[in-house]
Amino acid sequence: MTDIVLAHDYLVQVGGAERVVAGWAQGFGARRIVTLAYRPETTFDEFTRLDVQATLSPALATQVERLLPALPSIAARTTVSGGDVALVSTSGWAHRFRFEVPHVVYVHSPARWLYAADDYRLRLSPLRRAGLTVSTPLLRRGDAEAMQRASAIVSNSVVTQARMRAAYGLDSVVVHPPVEPVAPDAAAPTRDLPDAFAVVVARDRGYKNVPLAIVAARTAGLPIVIVGSGSESLDDPAQGVHGLGRVTDAELCWVYREAVVVIGAGREDFGLTVLEAALEGTPAATVATGGYLETVQPGVSGFQAASATADDLAAAIRRARDLDPEAAREWARGFSRDEHLARLARVIEEVVQRA
């Protein structure tokens, strides 16, 4: 059996990429993971069962994003060794680690801080934004050199595959992320929610475009539930906005099941949440861009807005409400974990045989 070592940018949040890596640990029987930072209290419990090698101290792990100017050099000094092959999850850092074994790089997105500056830098101070702008050409050179050292490159979507070609001039194969129910059982959140509501699952990131989702839901006549770290700051029940913050997987499962529709308003490279909701029978209303073009089947699992405006997204919400829940479930089952693991295993096997 191939001994696989995992690598990931940093384990400090509950997000789609972290859920993918947790699935790898179980599916491939991996026992060790190398990362820049680890906060067990703010990420998936599954990682407590692994041997986690984190470069940064627990104190610095709470400030990882503030360390941006130093992270490229810290990543380059993070060594991955042992095992037959490394399976690397990256959207900016882990592919820059120093690998002493062959490594397969699974790309969720080319580094947004370098190649999607308008998305990432919205959250930076003017001084840090200016510093990053000046240093970007040099940082891109080092980033590209690190990516070129990969034994094989896998993109999570056709969108990411195209962005990889644009950013690095490199080809990659597409293996969609695994989609499984987020929990075996549902549990209602501790607070009361409306009988009928839309949901958006998004952390506090500008490119998630939560304000558009809020306005679109209101235009469609629905209150909205927002799930994700930082969303509690948007909580305003009197205006039909229910920011729950971070919730348990069982609570997220309940929200998916009970929602009338899940909204995708941001710029996503894949769009995992609309498929998670579809597995619970909930259709999607999204903007017609990015990964949503792959994860939503119009007229079956949801509808896409004619333009990225509140009125058109509201129209998609109204249409999606009438779709058959079982058809949405059947569509989402096509993105199974077994299929994901089988396709990745073939890539890994080819790399090991060449080594």
Side-chain angles (χ1 to χ4, degrees):
M1 182 176 179
T2 303
D3 184 5
I4 298 175
V5 180
L6 302 180
H8 181 64
D9 296 339
Y10 34 77
L11 300 171
V12 300
Q13 60 195 13
V14 175
E18 289 74 28
R19 193 181 293 278
V20 169
V21 178
W24 290 350
Q26 179 182 12
F28 290 122
R31 301 180 299 275
R32 188 160 63 90
I33 183 166
V34 179
T35 188
L36 288 177
Y38 178 43
R39 295 185 66 200
E41 69 275 15
T42 60
T43 190
F44 292 106
D45 292 338
E46 285 85 345
F47 297 122
T48 62
R49 295 188 281 274
L50 301 182
D51 175 12
V52 180
Q53 175 189 322
T55 303
L56 298 173
S57 68
L60 288 176
T62 63
Q63 304 293 322
V64 62
E65 289 196 349
R66 295 181 179 273
L67 297 175
L68 174 61
L71 284 180
S73 60
I74 294 172
R77 295 196 301 270
T78 297
T79 301
V80 181
S81 60
D84 300 312
V85 65
L87 179 56
V88 186
S89 161
T90 186
S91 55
W93 307 107
H95 66 284
R96 300 173 72 108
F97 294 172
R98 185 157 58 90
F99 293 92
E100 296 182 355
V101 294
H103 58 292
V104 175
V105 176
Y106 187 88
V107 183
H108 303 280
S109 169
R112 282 194 173 89
W113 57 281
L114 287 178
Y115 305 103
D118 290 342
D119 290 343
Y120 186 88
R121 298 178 195 181
L122 290 173
R123 307 177 67 247
L124 300 180
S125 68
L127 180 61
R128 294 178 68 209
R129 193 179 304 133
L132 184 56
T133 299
V134 170
S135 59
T136 287
L138 179 62
L139 292 171
R140 281 187 176 180
R141 191 175 309 124
D143 185 70
E145 290 171 355
M147 190 66 76
Q148 289 164 359
R149 290 193 290 268
S151 305
I153 302 172
V154 181
S155 292
N156 70 342
S157 68
V158 173
V159 172
T160 298
Q161 182 186 53
R163 293 182 62 207
M164 288 292 292
R165 289 196 192 101
Y168 302 108
L170 297 173
D171 288 326
S172 58
V173 298
V174 173
V175 177
H176 290 131
V179 184
E180 296 289 317
V182 296
D185 299 299
T190 55
R191 59 181 285 181
D192 291 334
L193 295 174
D195 291 335
F197 58 86
V199 63
V200 62
V201 181
R203 297 189 303 276
D204 182 18
R205 297 291 188 272
Y207 66 90
K208 298 291 187 178
N209 210 358
V210 173
L212 174 60
I214 292 172
V215 176
R218 184 177 296 129
T219 303
L222 284 172
I224 188 169
V225 171
I226 310 170
V227 173
S229 177
S231 64
E232 59 271 27
S233 66
L234 301 173
D235 191 46
D236 188 359
Q239 296 299 316
V241 179
H242 303 265
L244 300 187
R246 182 185 173 189
V247 301
T248 67
D249 283 350
E251 289 170 335
L252 178 57
C253 182
W254 185 93
V255 170
Y256 277 147
R257 287 184 186 178
E258 298 299 321
V260 170
V261 64
V262 61
I263 300 176
R267 295 184 291 277
E268 292 289 352
D269 303 297
F270 181 66
L272 180 65
T273 62
V274 300
L275 288 168
E276 291 176 342
L279 282 175
E280 305 302 333
T282 299
T286 74
V287 293
T289 187
Y292 294 130
L293 298 176
E294 296 174 70
T295 55
V296 176
Q297 188 175 26
V300 175
S301 70
F303 283 100
Q304 293 158 350
S307 69
T309 62
D311 285 344
D312 282 346
L313 188 53
I317 292 171
R318 296 187 190 98
R319 296 179 71 195
R321 295 184 66 167
D322 296 328
L323 290 175
D324 176 23
E326 185 52 38
R329 293 188 188 96
E330 185 62 27
W331 164 253
R333 291 184 191 118
F335 295 81
S336 71
R337 177 178 293 177
D338 287 347
E339 176 65 17
H340 169 86
L341 293 173
R343 295 188 65 191
L344 262 187
R346 289 194 288 271
V347 177
I348 292 169
E349 182 180 359
E350 290 175 2
V351 167
V352 172
Q353 289 176 348
R354 293 199 308 264

